[in-house]
Amino acid sequence: MKWLLTMIGAVAVVLAVLGAFLPLLPTTPFLLLASACFARSSVRAHNWLRTNPLFGKYLRDWEDGRGLPLRGKIAILLFMWGSMGYSLTRVAHIPALVALLVTIGLGVSVFLLRFVPTKR
């Protein structure tokens, strides 16, 4: 079981990194999944994830219940809606995809602003 959790965690880390650059692939849920898997399978991998210079601080703050800083929330929303806007221009001729993108964007925005604590 530990081997399976480690593999799922590794795949989740790869998807999280890709999600930083691809508009419909979320980063944070994959990081949280990787952290949960590593916490149950590999202390070393979990510590690596929590001390990673790119996203370790955000992950530690999230896991410790401190939320995200306002600056981070703003950056997330700007980057997400910027990439979402580009995607919308590419699929503007397909109303169902436009509706799906807007729904996903609104859902993530509401979740981030309403349910994720703002760290001060």
Side-chain angles (χ1 to χ4, degrees):
M1 188 59 149
K2 285 187 177 192
W3 180 83
L4 179 62
L5 287 172
T6 301
M7 291 307 298
I8 292 171
V11 170
V13 168
V14 170
L15 291 173
V17 171
L18 289 174
F21 303 102
L22 300 174
L24 284 179
L25 198 60
T27 300
T28 303
F30 286 119
L31 281 178
L32 294 175
L33 174 62
S35 182
C37 289
F38 289 155
R40 289 162 182 78
S41 65
S42 171
V43 172
R44 183 176 174 198
H46 189 243
N47 286 336
W48 169 79
L49 200 59
R50 286 180 56 95
T51 58
N52 184 284
L54 285 177
F55 42 76
K57 183 176 180 345
Y58 288 108
L59 188 58
R60 284 190 309 273
D61 286 346
W62 176 270
E63 287 181 345
D64 297 339
R66 291 189 294 262
L68 295 172
L70 182 60
R71 183 177 175 190
K73 284 184 173 186
I74 291 170
I76 290 167
L77 289 172
L78 287 175
F79 185 74
M80 180 190 73
W81 280 106
S83 60
M84 212 53 98
Y86 173 76
S87 296
L88 287 169
T89 64
R90 304 300 296 165
V91 299
H93 60 284
I94 307 170
L97 286 179
V98 170
L100 179 65
L101 283 173
V102 170
T103 302
I104 290 170
L106 289 174
V108 171
S109 297
V110 167
F111 174 77
L112 189 63
L113 295 172
R114 181 125 169 106
F115 299 106
V116 175
T118 301
K119 179 181 168 190
R120 299 191 191 233

